[in-house]
Every structure is written in C-alpha cells, then in structure tokens.
Amino acid sequence: MKRAAKIASFPKTVARNLRLFLIVCALLSGAVLPHGTIGAPSEAQAASPVPMLYSSAPNAPDSQLQSIIEDTVGNLGGNWGVAVKKLDTGQFAAFNGDTQQVSASLYKLWVLDELFRQAQAGDLDLDGYNTVTADDAYYDEVNGDVHLNAGDSVTLRRAAYLMVTVSDNTSAHMLVRILGPDNINSFMQRNGLQSSLLDWSGVGDNLTTPLDMLRELELIATSRMVDAGTSKQIVDLMLDQQINDLLPPGLPDGARIAHKTGALDGLLHDAAIVYGPHGPFIIVVMASNLTSYQTAWDNMPLLVGRVYNYFNSQSASPTLYFPETRQTVGHDFLKFWQVYGGLQAFGYPIGPEQTVGGLRVQQFERARFEWHPELGGEGGEVPDVVPSLLGQERAAQLGLSWPPAPDPGTGKFYKETGQAITGKFYDYWLNNGGERIFGLPISPAAPMLNPDGKTYLTQWFQRARMELHPELPAGPELGKAQELVALGALGTELNAPH
C-alpha cells in the first residue's frame, strides 16, 4: 500500500500543526457528512453557475504574465513551479513548469477523473456502497485524521467528495484499490499527462509537474476529459473545497475557484480553475523543499491576486489572422470561436467583421456570428455573441421543411418544432454546446445527399446541420461516438454563387 512521502528536513511539529489546522477547518465547515450525502457548495461558490467550456485557445506566451510570475516566486526559498493559462485568450506563462515534484494530494484529481470515466462507461455505480478496509484506513488512523473507519460502508460518490473536499486519504486509498492504479495511470497518459505517475508500489513517490496539472484542469474545464455533464460534476466537487488557505485568500470576495490542494512535510501545492468576470483561467502553484510554510501562505495568495487583477482589470481583445482564408477574427468573436469549439465547430472565417442592418456580424465556414451587446454580462462565457439561424436559412433556401413528429421517448424532444434529437447526434449536441450553439432540431435524422456528392445520415437544426461521417476517426481517449459527427458548411453554402 502506498504511504504518503515525507520530507525529513522539515520540522515534524510544524507538519502536525498543519494537519490539525486542516482538520479543524474541515470540521468547522461541516464537511463530514452522513453516508451517501454530497454537500452543497458554499454560498459564495454557488452564487452563479460556472461556464462549462467546449474548447480553449492555443497557448499564447504572455511576457507580462511571465514577469508577474517570476517577480513573485522567482527568488523564494524552496523549489517553486507555476503554470498559468487564460482559457479563452490562450495567454500563457510557466516557471519551472516541466520540473517534476512530489504530487502530494494532487494525485487525487487523477483518481477522481478515472472514477467518473469508469462511471460514465457503466463499469461502476457511484451510488453503490463499498467497505473501507483496514489497509485503506491505515495512514489516516496513524495520523489521527479520521473521517472513515475500517469497516465503514460508503458510496463511491461520498468517498469522492471526502477525497477532494477535505483530502481524505482513506477514501482515496479505497478508490485507487477499486479503480486500479494501472487504469488511473493509463487514463492520464492517454490524456497527455506524460510527466505524471501514480506510484502505488510503496517504494517511490507520486510525481507530477505544473504543466501536467494545468493540462488536466484545462481538459476538465473544457469538458474534454470526460463528457460535459460529468465534467460539471467534477468542477462542482472542486468548488466545494474546504481547504482554502493557499490560493483562495488572494481572490476577491465572491470569486469562484474550483481547486485541489496538496500538503506534505515541506510541500504545499494548489491547482485551480478560477472563474473571473473576463473568463476562466487555470493556475497551478507547486512549492516543495520549503523551510517555512509561511512562505507559501504569503506568496501563493499574492501571486493569484496579481494574476487575477492582470486578467480582469483590463478588457482582453486578442486577434488572430488566418492565412488559409486571409481573414482576421478578434474581440468577442474570437473568444466565442475558441471557447465553443474553434475550427472543428465553426471552420475558418470566410469574411471580415462587418455591420449588416445595424448588427455586427462575421461569416465562418459553418456559422455566422452576431454581436448583441444588449445580452452582455459577466461570467466569462462571451454571452453577447450568438450564432445566426443558418440552419433555418439554408433549409429555406433549399425549399426544405419537415412536419412535426411524435416524441420517440429517447434523447430530447422539442414540442416547439415537433422534432427529437437522439443517438450520436444527441451526444454531439449535448457535449458541444447544446441549444446555445446549435439551436433546436427542425428535422428528423434521415439520409440526405450532401454537397460532396455522398449520402450521410443528416439532421438539421436552427443554427447548424449535423452529418454522421463513419469514415472519420473516433476520439483518441475513449473512442467517443460524437467525434464521428461533422457540421455542414452552411456558411460557405449560403455565400456560394447560385
């Protein structure tokens, strides 16, 4: 059984005091719940829903962000590693980002991901009960940090909650035993965490890097580690974190932070998704070989506060030039394009930003964006951008219409249009933006001759046309069926000469 690593150079009394401090914080927060119960987020964290994104911008090195990081932690004692990325703009910087450190309890996020992956695949039941063994409870019993005792029967869902929100080791050891450490490592490797290792041999340490943890959180935040609904469950657990003495003190009141900490002798880590008014960003701060915890307690809040202010005190207006079509996309249109699927969802821009009928618009191969400032607001989701009703326009151009059909009892049925979304189209619709991106279905799924001269199973929506392409490759990590769905080039078709 894997035992938590110790850094012998750090005073034992300070380590014990930290454990007691964390235990008291957890008890005061009411984090220990009845069997099978999941706690609600705190009032500040639950103030409004966080955006579940569908894409993120490519890394764009930011020299000012780099300066903030190096100025804050560059000369501190100990070994520091930092990675930061703003998801919608891609602004990125890292300091010792690829240097491995002992993961401490950050490994519990890997366990959480594999748990939800297996649940999503139907391999286990999150609400099924399992019994805590003496081996599971050994480490916490030795250290007097007991939330679960040997012989307790708990649901996997409650074990996950305790593992994340109060960093319960007994729950983590039980879940690793049930899931299998090799499965956890394989899932992380498939998702690109190449420098991370869950070593359950009892000999080595669990290792990771700031860049690996940033990648993991980016995949969770953009619904690409598991599906969108499951990703939201993971984020909700992290939002209810009860150990909040590292990054959270540096954020303004009411700021939402979904995060996981790690603590061992001489080591403090925090990995977070922070939701600000100008969009979410990932920040991972890892510090080991510390001679004083106070160094981390003082400087982690300082760093996240400076990063938060940098991203949110000024309006970010990035632009991107596409040589393929010689067009530029900027401002909220670019943020929306990146957040909701980028090239795969919308294709390349095929026209400049322009004003038509008093409305600012821009044409893409598969969509047309409209800017509606009256819909604007905070939350980082670019709520003032709306895709046009290209599906309806193209269907009308072709003289197509479909009578209402009865509810088939599967998928999602809309009485407004008398059509349902089912099967692979429903999976794709659900996991790539839903009604906001595609609108409501306006046709049943049926074979249709495509402009490329081939026939595909096709379904029309208010804002898009979905086509099932069996020749396309499936997703790399799970063989996702939705990767076989492609969107029709409605923007190109509508703007083609007739």
Side-chain angles (χ1 to χ4, degrees):
M1 177 178 175
K2 176 69 186 172
R3 306 297 182 210
K6 297 296 176 187
I7 300 176
S9 61
F10 202 79
K12 302 286 187 184
T13 54
V14 177
R16 280 196 298 271
N17 289 339
L18 176 66
R19 287 194 196 95
L20 290 172
F21 171 78
L22 298 180
I23 293 167
V24 170
C25 288
L27 291 173
L28 290 175
S29 70
V32 182
L33 303 174
H35 290 322
T37 302
I38 300 299
S42 61
E43 183 177 349
Q45 294 281 294
S48 58
V50 298
M52 293 308 298
L53 313 180
Y54 302 92
S55 183
S56 56
N59 290 356
D62 185 321
S63 59
Q64 288 181 267
L65 181 61
Q66 188 73 39
S67 295
I68 290 172
I69 294 172
E70 294 183 4
D71 180 61
T72 307
V73 306
N75 296 315
L76 298 178
N79 298 329
W80 286 75
V82 178
V84 178
K85 180 176 181 180
K86 192 165 187 291
L87 296 182
D88 54 4
T89 63
Q91 292 165 276
F92 167 84
F95 177 78
N96 295 330
D98 57 359
T99 300
Q100 279 186 325
Q101 297 190 42
V102 175
S103 73
S105 288
L106 294 186
Y107 84 85
K108 293 168 184 173
L109 289 182
W110 313 337
V111 180
L112 187 69
D113 292 334
E114 175 63 9
L115 172 68
F116 277 99
R117 186 200 69 79
Q118 290 193 22
Q120 179 187 341
D123 296 333
L124 52 79
D125 178 7
L126 289 175
D127 296 309
Y129 280 84
N130 285 266
T131 301
V132 176
T133 68
D135 200 38
D136 296 332
Y138 173 81
Y139 179 75
D140 283 341
E141 288 178 351
V142 167
N143 290 279
D145 186 9
V146 177
H147 297 284
L148 296 172
N149 294 289
D152 284 350
S153 182
V154 296
T155 66
L156 298 182
R157 192 184 300 276
R158 180 175 183 257
Y161 177 85
L162 292 173
M163 177 182 70
V164 172
T165 61
V166 294
S167 207
D168 180 59
N169 293 300
T170 300
S171 298
H173 284 258
M174 184 185 78
L175 290 173
V176 172
R177 171 172 56 81
I178 293 168
L179 300 172
D182 290 344
N183 291 330
I184 297 168
N185 277 321
S186 294
F187 188 50
M188 292 301 101
Q189 291 288 311
R190 291 199 303 273
N191 280 281
L193 276 69
Q194 300 298 318
S195 298
S196 298
L197 174 66
L198 179 67
D199 186 337
W200 220 245
S201 66
V203 178
D205 288 313
N206 303 325
L207 300 172
T208 192
T209 67
L211 287 177
D212 268 13
M213 294 307 304
L214 183 145
R215 175 169 177 79
E216 180 181 10
L217 293 182
E218 183 176 6
L219 291 174
I220 292 170
T222 56
S223 306
R224 289 180 291 155
M225 181 71 78
V226 285
D227 66 26
T230 306
S231 296
K232 186 179 186 305
Q233 293 183 61
I234 292 174
V235 170
D236 285 345
L237 277 178
M238 295 171 66
L239 281 169
D240 208 17
Q241 178 60 247
Q242 304 299 312
I243 302 172
N244 293 308
D245 58 338
L246 294 174
L247 292 177
L251 297 171
D253 291 342
R256 293 164 296 166
I257 175 171
H259 69 120
K260 180 71 189 75
T261 61
L264 288 173
D265 289 356
L267 176 156
L268 289 173
H269 303 328
D270 208 347
I273 310 167
V274 179
Y275 296 92
H278 288 175
F281 65 90
I282 308 293
I283 180 167
V284 179
V285 188
M286 301 177 65
S288 56
N289 289 337
L290 296 169
T291 57
S292 170
Y293 283 128
Q294 198 63 48
T295 304
W297 289 334
D298 289 342
N299 289 283
M300 287 192 189
L302 176 63
L303 175 60
V304 73
R306 292 182 67 181
V307 171
Y308 184 95
N309 289 336
Y310 175 64
F311 285 147
N312 293 290
S313 62
Q314 53 187 347
S315 178
S317 296
T319 60
L320 184 62
Y321 175 71
F322 292 85
E324 295 84 356
T325 56
R326 298 183 179 180
Q327 300 294 336
T328 297
V329 183
H331 312 296
D332 284 353
F333 285 162
L334 179 60
K335 293 172 72 176
F336 189 92
W337 185 89
Q338 290 169 329
V339 164
Y340 283 96
L343 192 62
Q344 180 180 352
F346 306 115
Y348 291 108
I350 57 175
E353 186 176 305
Q354 56 187 314
T355 300
V356 177
L359 188 65
R360 188 190 301 175
V361 301
Q362 185 163 16
Q363 297 279 354
F364 295 81
E365 290 176 310
R366 302 187 183 99
R368 181 175 64 236
F369 292 173
E370 302 174 0
W371 186 58
H372 290 265
E374 75 278 5
L375 302 178
E378 295 187 355
E381 293 185 88
V382 200
D384 48 2
V385 175
V386 177
S388 298
L389 301 174
L390 289 196
Q392 289 185 180
E393 291 182 29
R394 178 59 172 159
Q397 188 183 61
L398 295 172
L400 299 174
S401 62
W402 298 269
D407 185 350
T410 61
K412 189 173 182 65
F413 179 76
Y414 280 94
K415 292 187 293 185
E416 299 95 320
T417 61
Q419 303 294 341
I421 323 170
T422 61
K424 293 182 174 65
F425 290 145
Y426 181 61
D427 290 341
Y428 189 91
W429 183 90
L430 192 65
N431 287 299
N432 292 277
E435 189 173 326
R436 173 164 189 170
I437 301 303
F438 308 112
L440 309 186
I442 58 174
S443 84
M448 180 177 177
L449 182 65
N450 194 270
D452 68 3
K454 298 179 181 179
T455 297
Y456 302 106
L457 185 66
T458 301
Q459 185 164 18
W460 291 76
F461 295 78
Q462 291 172 319
R463 307 180 193 280
R465 184 181 70 229
M466 292 186 188
E467 304 160 2
L468 188 63
H469 287 250
E471 78 280 5
L472 295 179
E477 64 273 357
L478 293 177
K480 294 179 181 175
Q482 61 262 34
E483 296 299 331
L484 302 175
V485 174
L487 298 179
L490 296 180
T492 299
E493 294 171 22
L494 278 165
N495 286 277
H498 295 285

